[in-house]
Amino acid sequence: MRFFRRFKFLFKFRKSFPFFKEFYLSKEVKVTAKLASLILIIGYIIFPFDVIPDYLLVLGLFDDVMVATLILQQMVKMAPDSLRKKYDIESK
């Protein structure tokens, strides 16, 4: 069930760009939450963890997409309720 929520979140991702922008610019979001999400993103870019090697094309990209989605969902969980309600983003 969790897999399907992440997959659904991925399709809504395009509409979430304003949320992520405001996440970093908002004074309501704790600095520690901003730093934690930034460290996760940069860490994954520098040290990409691959369960499935990328040379397997579609399957190789699948684990990258799932890890990126997991990081973005964590950002949504760390955001204050007012920000989630403003952009109608759920965190489960």
Side-chain angles (χ1 to χ4, degrees), residues 11-20 87 89:
F11 284 106
K12 290 183 175 182
F13 176 71
R14 183 179 59 84
K15 294 191 289 185
S16 301
F17 279 116
F19 168 81
F20 295 120
Y87 290 100
I89 297 176

Side-chain angles (χ1 to χ4, degrees), residues 13-87:
F13 176 71
R14 183 179 59 84
K15 294 191 289 185
S16 301
F17 279 116
F19 168 81
F20 295 120
K21 178 183 173 189
E22 192 164 336
F23 177 85
Y24 285 108
L25 298 177
S26 175
K27 293 184 183 200
E28 291 181 62
V29 180
K30 296 178 184 177
V31 174
T32 54
K34 293 176 187 180
L35 284 175
S37 62
L38 205 58
I39 289 169
L40 285 172
I41 292 168
I42 292 172
Y44 187 69
I45 290 170
I46 293 172
F47 304 109
F49 175 73
D50 280 339
V51 175
I52 304 169
D54 287 342
Y55 62 81
L56 294 175
L57 297 179
V58 175
L59 292 175
L61 294 175
F62 184 72
D63 70 329
D64 293 330
V65 169
M66 287 296 114
V67 171
T69 304
L70 177 67
I71 291 171
L72 297 175
Q73 279 185 331
Q74 292 306 313
M75 287 175 65
V76 170
K77 287 181 182 179
M78 290 187 283
D81 288 334
S82 60
L83 197 58
R84 287 189 299 232
K85 287 179 184 176
K86 179 178 179 180
Y87 290 100

